[in-house]
Amino acid sequence: GVLLGTCAALAPGGARWTRKTVLVIEWLTIVAGVRQLFSGSIISLAGMAIAGIIVLAYSSAEGKEWFTV
């Protein structure tokens, strides 16, 4: 949580390492959500959806461009 908070604070400035860090954490969140689905936790779909939206935003052309400046 602290690491994501730090990334959120530094992302508007375009700090390069924040993009990769956020992508790794969000992919881990998606994987953990899939694992939770197998144990019957439907609520994990919400977290997976949010993580997916973040991954899409950070992987878009605009997202890549923002962090290369």
Side-chain angles (χ1 to χ4, degrees), residues 13-49:
R16 287 185 167 176
W17 64 270
T18 59
R19 179 177 174 268
K20 291 178 183 176
T21 304
V22 169
L23 284 172
V24 167
I25 292 171
E26 295 305 332
W27 275 113
L28 290 173
T29 301
I30 292 171
V31 170
V34 169
R35 191 170 158 224
Q36 288 176 350
L37 277 176
F38 286 116
S39 66
S41 176
I42 301 299
I43 195 70
S44 64
L45 287 174
M48 289 171 48

